[in-house]
mmCIF file of all heavy atoms in Angstrom:
data_model
loop_
_atom_site.group_PDB
_atom_site.id
_atom_site.type_symbol
_atom_site.label_atom_id
_atom_site.label_comp_id
_atom_site.label_asym_id
_atom_site.label_seq_id
_atom_site.Cartn_x
_atom_site.Cartn_y
_atom_site.Cartn_z
ATOM 1 N N MET A 1 -7.803 -3.657 -6.438
ATOM 2 C CA MET A 1 -6.664 -4.572 -6.462
ATOM 3 C C MET A 1 -5.602 -4.146 -5.451
ATOM 4 O O MET A 1 -4.991 -4.983 -4.778
ATOM 5 C CB MET A 1 -6.065 -4.627 -7.868
ATOM 6 C CG MET A 1 -6.993 -5.240 -8.919
ATOM 7 S SD MET A 1 -7.568 -6.899 -8.468
ATOM 8 C CE MET A 1 -6.024 -7.771 -8.316
ATOM 9 N N ASP A 2 -5.393 -2.845 -5.326
ATOM 10 C CA ASP A 2 -4.423 -2.363 -4.338
ATOM 11 C C ASP A 2 -4.866 -2.734 -2.923
ATOM 12 O O ASP A 2 -4.033 -3.117 -2.083
ATOM 13 C CB ASP A 2 -4.262 -0.849 -4.453
ATOM 14 C CG ASP A 2 -3.566 -0.445 -5.746
ATOM 15 O OD1 ASP A 2 -2.890 -1.302 -6.341
ATOM 16 O OD2 ASP A 2 -3.711 0.720 -6.165
ATOM 17 N N GLN A 3 -6.166 -2.620 -2.648
ATOM 18 C CA GLN A 3 -6.679 -2.959 -1.318
ATOM 19 C C GLN A 3 -6.546 -4.454 -1.039
ATOM 20 O O GLN A 3 -6.154 -4.864 0.058
ATOM 21 C CB GLN A 3 -8.152 -2.534 -1.202
ATOM 22 C CG GLN A 3 -8.373 -1.030 -1.219
ATOM 23 C CD GLN A 3 -7.869 -0.348 0.035
ATOM 24 O OE1 GLN A 3 -7.890 -0.924 1.121
ATOM 25 N NE2 GLN A 3 -7.378 0.866 -0.116
ATOM 26 N N GLU A 4 -6.862 -5.281 -2.035
ATOM 27 C CA GLU A 4 -6.833 -6.721 -1.833
ATOM 28 C C GLU A 4 -5.411 -7.269 -1.703
ATOM 29 O O GLU A 4 -5.218 -8.332 -1.112
ATOM 30 C CB GLU A 4 -7.542 -7.421 -3.004
ATOM 31 C CG GLU A 4 -9.047 -7.241 -3.011
ATOM 32 C CD GLU A 4 -9.697 -7.882 -1.795
ATOM 33 O OE1 GLU A 4 -9.337 -9.021 -1.455
ATOM 34 O OE2 GLU A 4 -10.550 -7.226 -1.165
ATOM 35 N N CYS A 5 -4.430 -6.551 -2.249
ATOM 36 C CA CYS A 5 -3.043 -7.039 -2.222
ATOM 37 C C CYS A 5 -2.231 -6.436 -1.081
ATOM 38 O O CYS A 5 -1.000 -6.574 -1.066
ATOM 39 C CB CYS A 5 -2.363 -6.729 -3.559
ATOM 40 S SG CYS A 5 -3.081 -7.634 -4.957
ATOM 41 N N ARG A 6 -2.895 -5.789 -0.135
ATOM 42 C CA ARG A 6 -2.153 -5.218 0.993
ATOM 43 C C ARG A 6 -1.555 -6.287 1.895
ATOM 44 O O ARG A 6 -0.611 -6.013 2.639
ATOM 45 C CB ARG A 6 -3.079 -4.315 1.819
ATOM 46 C CG ARG A 6 -3.502 -3.032 1.129
ATOM 47 C CD ARG A 6 -4.367 -2.192 2.030
ATOM 48 N NE ARG A 6 -5.559 -2.909 2.449
ATOM 49 C CZ ARG A 6 -6.452 -2.421 3.312
ATOM 50 N NH1 ARG A 6 -6.265 -1.238 3.861
ATOM 51 N NH2 ARG A 6 -7.519 -3.127 3.630
ATOM 52 N N SER A 7 -2.072 -7.507 1.843
ATOM 53 C CA SER A 7 -1.545 -8.580 2.691
ATOM 54 C C SER A 7 -0.360 -9.306 2.062
ATOM 55 O O SER A 7 0.206 -10.203 2.685
ATOM 56 C CB SER A 7 -2.651 -9.596 2.994
ATOM 57 O OG SER A 7 -3.130 -10.197 1.797
ATOM 58 N N ALA A 8 0.037 -8.933 0.832
ATOM 59 C CA ALA A 8 1.141 -9.623 0.156
ATOM 60 C C ALA A 8 2.459 -9.536 0.923
ATOM 61 O O ALA A 8 3.207 -10.529 0.967
ATOM 62 C CB ALA A 8 1.306 -9.068 -1.264
ATOM 63 N N PRO A 9 2.821 -8.405 1.559
ATOM 64 C CA PRO A 9 4.085 -8.390 2.317
ATOM 65 C C PRO A 9 4.108 -9.404 3.449
ATOM 66 O O PRO A 9 5.136 -10.046 3.694
ATOM 67 C CB PRO A 9 4.155 -6.948 2.855
ATOM 68 C CG PRO A 9 3.321 -6.153 1.924
ATOM 69 C CD PRO A 9 2.220 -7.059 1.497
ATOM 70 N N ALA A 10 2.992 -9.566 4.155
ATOM 71 C CA ALA A 10 2.948 -10.535 5.251
ATOM 72 C C ALA A 10 2.873 -11.964 4.722
ATOM 73 O O ALA A 10 3.351 -12.896 5.371
ATOM 74 C CB ALA A 10 1.753 -10.239 6.165
ATOM 75 N N ARG A 11 2.293 -12.151 3.548
ATOM 76 C CA ARG A 11 2.170 -13.503 2.983
ATOM 77 C C ARG A 11 3.489 -13.973 2.358
ATOM 78 O O ARG A 11 3.984 -15.061 2.651
ATOM 79 C CB ARG A 11 1.086 -13.520 1.901
ATOM 80 C CG ARG A 11 -0.337 -13.427 2.400
ATOM 81 C CD ARG A 11 -1.254 -13.203 1.214
ATOM 82 N NE ARG A 11 -2.661 -13.241 1.572
ATOM 83 C CZ ARG A 11 -3.458 -14.281 1.394
ATOM 84 N NH1 ARG A 11 -2.983 -15.384 0.856
ATOM 85 N NH2 ARG A 11 -4.732 -14.235 1.734
ATOM 86 N N TYR A 12 4.023 -13.128 1.450
ATOM 87 C CA TYR A 12 5.119 -13.572 0.602
ATOM 88 C C TYR A 12 6.375 -12.715 0.712
ATOM 89 O O TYR A 12 7.371 -12.997 0.047
ATOM 90 C CB TYR A 12 4.671 -13.591 -0.867
ATOM 91 C CG TYR A 12 3.323 -14.232 -1.076
ATOM 92 C CD1 TYR A 12 2.240 -13.494 -1.524
ATOM 93 C CD2 TYR A 12 3.135 -15.582 -0.803
ATOM 94 C CE1 TYR A 12 0.993 -14.077 -1.707
ATOM 95 C CE2 TYR A 12 1.901 -16.178 -0.993
ATOM 96 C CZ TYR A 12 0.827 -15.418 -1.440
ATOM 97 O OH TYR A 12 -0.394 -15.996 -1.617
ATOM 98 N N GLY A 13 6.351 -11.640 1.499
ATOM 99 C CA GLY A 13 7.514 -10.772 1.593
ATOM 100 C C GLY A 13 7.694 -9.871 0.393
ATOM 101 O O GLY A 13 8.797 -9.360 0.151
ATOM 102 N N VAL A 14 6.636 -9.644 -0.367
ATOM 103 C CA VAL A 14 6.675 -8.795 -1.552
ATOM 104 C C VAL A 14 5.591 -7.731 -1.418
ATOM 105 O O VAL A 14 4.430 -8.053 -1.153
ATOM 106 C CB VAL A 14 6.456 -9.607 -2.849
ATOM 107 C CG1 VAL A 14 6.478 -8.688 -4.063
ATOM 108 C CG2 VAL A 14 7.523 -10.683 -2.977
ATOM 109 N N THR A 15 5.974 -6.478 -1.594
ATOM 110 C CA THR A 15 5.034 -5.370 -1.496
ATOM 111 C C THR A 15 4.615 -4.939 -2.893
ATOM 112 O O THR A 15 5.478 -4.630 -3.736
ATOM 113 C CB THR A 15 5.667 -4.177 -0.768
ATOM 114 O OG1 THR A 15 6.049 -4.580 0.548
ATOM 115 C CG2 THR A 15 4.686 -3.022 -0.670
ATOM 116 N N LEU A 16 3.320 -4.920 -3.156
ATOM 117 C CA LEU A 16 2.795 -4.438 -4.428
ATOM 118 C C LEU A 16 2.529 -2.938 -4.282
ATOM 119 O O LEU A 16 1.570 -2.524 -3.639
ATOM 120 C CB LEU A 16 1.517 -5.185 -4.793
ATOM 121 C CG LEU A 16 1.690 -6.681 -5.101
ATOM 122 C CD1 LEU A 16 0.346 -7.328 -5.363
ATOM 123 C CD2 LEU A 16 2.605 -6.889 -6.288
ATOM 124 N N ASP A 17 3.407 -2.130 -4.874
ATOM 125 C CA ASP A 17 3.261 -0.680 -4.752
ATOM 126 C C ASP A 17 2.026 -0.179 -5.484
ATOM 127 O O ASP A 17 1.326 0.711 -5.001
ATOM 128 C CB ASP A 17 4.504 0.025 -5.301
ATOM 129 C CG ASP A 17 5.667 -0.068 -4.325
ATOM 130 O OD1 ASP A 17 5.403 -0.334 -3.138
ATOM 131 O OD2 ASP A 17 6.812 0.108 -4.738
ATOM 132 N N ALA A 18 1.757 -0.712 -6.640
ATOM 133 C CA ALA A 18 0.604 -0.261 -7.421
ATOM 134 C C ALA A 18 0.331 -1.256 -8.538
ATOM 135 O O ALA A 18 1.243 -1.926 -9.042
ATOM 136 C CB ALA A 18 0.841 1.129 -8.013
ATOM 137 N N SER A 19 -0.934 -1.339 -8.892
ATOM 138 C CA SER A 19 -1.344 -2.107 -10.068
ATOM 139 C C SER A 19 -2.028 -1.151 -11.028
ATOM 140 O O SER A 19 -2.874 -0.358 -10.629
ATOM 141 C CB SER A 19 -2.300 -3.240 -9.670
ATOM 142 O OG SER A 19 -3.465 -2.722 -9.063
ATOM 143 N N LEU A 20 -1.640 -1.218 -12.278
ATOM 144 C CA LEU A 20 -2.170 -0.295 -13.277
ATOM 145 C C LEU A 20 -2.727 -1.103 -14.443
ATOM 146 O O LEU A 20 -1.983 -1.550 -15.324
ATOM 147 C CB LEU A 20 -1.077 0.661 -13.760
ATOM 148 C CG LEU A 20 -1.513 1.733 -14.759
ATOM 149 C CD1 LEU A 20 -2.583 2.625 -14.143
ATOM 150 C CD2 LEU A 20 -0.326 2.546 -15.229
ATOM 151 N N ILE A 21 -4.047 -1.302 -14.428
ATOM 152 C CA ILE A 21 -4.729 -1.975 -15.529
ATOM 153 C C ILE A 21 -5.048 -0.911 -16.569
ATOM 154 O O ILE A 21 -5.813 0.020 -16.313
ATOM 155 C CB ILE A 21 -6.005 -2.670 -15.037
ATOM 156 C CG1 ILE A 21 -5.657 -3.677 -13.933
ATOM 157 C CG2 ILE A 21 -6.710 -3.374 -16.189
ATOM 158 C CD1 ILE A 21 -6.858 -4.273 -13.249
ATOM 159 N N THR A 22 -4.447 -1.017 -17.729
ATOM 160 C CA THR A 22 -4.548 0.048 -18.730
ATOM 161 C C THR A 22 -5.530 -0.247 -19.852
ATOM 162 O O THR A 22 -5.993 0.686 -20.517
ATOM 163 C CB THR A 22 -3.162 0.303 -19.355
ATOM 164 O OG1 THR A 22 -2.655 -0.919 -19.901
ATOM 165 C CG2 THR A 22 -2.189 0.809 -18.296
ATOM 166 N N GLY A 23 -5.853 -1.517 -20.102
ATOM 167 C CA GLY A 23 -6.729 -1.820 -21.228
ATOM 168 C C GLY A 23 -7.570 -3.048 -20.997
ATOM 169 O O GLY A 23 -7.145 -4.005 -20.342
ATOM 170 N N ILE A 24 -8.811 -2.984 -21.505
ATOM 171 C CA ILE A 24 -9.729 -4.125 -21.470
ATOM 172 C C ILE A 24 -10.265 -4.300 -22.885
ATOM 173 O O ILE A 24 -10.991 -3.434 -23.396
ATOM 174 C CB ILE A 24 -10.880 -3.896 -20.477
ATOM 175 C CG1 ILE A 24 -10.318 -3.725 -19.057
ATOM 176 C CG2 ILE A 24 -11.872 -5.042 -20.522
ATOM 177 C CD1 ILE A 24 -11.381 -3.453 -18.009
ATOM 178 N N ASP A 25 -9.881 -5.382 -23.535
ATOM 179 C CA ASP A 25 -10.229 -5.607 -24.933
ATOM 180 C C ASP A 25 -11.248 -6.731 -25.045
ATOM 181 O O ASP A 25 -10.957 -7.875 -24.677
ATOM 182 C CB ASP A 25 -8.987 -5.972 -25.744
ATOM 183 C CG ASP A 25 -7.915 -4.885 -25.655
ATOM 184 O OD1 ASP A 25 -8.298 -3.705 -25.666
ATOM 185 O OD2 ASP A 25 -6.726 -5.233 -25.557
ATOM 186 N N PRO A 26 -12.454 -6.438 -25.550
ATOM 187 C CA PRO A 26 -13.461 -7.490 -25.726
ATOM 188 C C PRO A 26 -13.152 -8.326 -26.959
ATOM 189 O O PRO A 26 -12.308 -7.956 -27.783
ATOM 190 C CB PRO A 26 -14.752 -6.695 -25.916
ATOM 191 C CG PRO A 26 -14.297 -5.424 -26.555
ATOM 192 C CD PRO A 26 -12.937 -5.123 -25.965
ATOM 193 N N PRO A 27 -13.828 -9.462 -27.112
ATOM 194 C CA PRO A 27 -13.650 -10.264 -28.328
ATOM 195 C C PRO A 27 -14.057 -9.469 -29.561
ATOM 196 O O PRO A 27 -14.959 -8.612 -29.498
ATOM 197 C CB PRO A 27 -14.597 -11.455 -28.099
ATOM 198 C CG PRO A 27 -14.782 -11.509 -26.616
ATOM 199 C CD PRO A 27 -14.724 -10.098 -26.136
ATOM 200 N N PRO A 28 -13.431 -9.704 -30.709
ATOM 201 C CA PRO A 28 -13.756 -8.925 -31.922
ATOM 202 C C PRO A 28 -15.214 -9.042 -32.329
ATOM 203 O O PRO A 28 -15.795 -8.090 -32.866
ATOM 204 C CB PRO A 28 -12.825 -9.532 -32.985
ATOM 205 C CG PRO A 28 -11.709 -10.160 -32.213
ATOM 206 C CD PRO A 28 -12.331 -10.645 -30.931
#
């Protein structure tokens, strides 16, 4: 996700410093 969002500053003027996905919950 960090690699894919490197173009965000040139696209939208917003820099994504980091994305932290902490949990993946399956259906019960």
Side-chain angles (χ1 to χ4, degrees):
M1 294 305 301
D2 291 340
Q3 293 290 328
E4 289 296 315
C5 294
R6 291 182 301 176
S7 61
R11 287 170 174 260
Y12 314 114
V14 179
T15 300
L16 294 176
D17 284 341
S19 60
L20 183 60
I21 302 172
T22 56
I24 299 178
D25 302 321

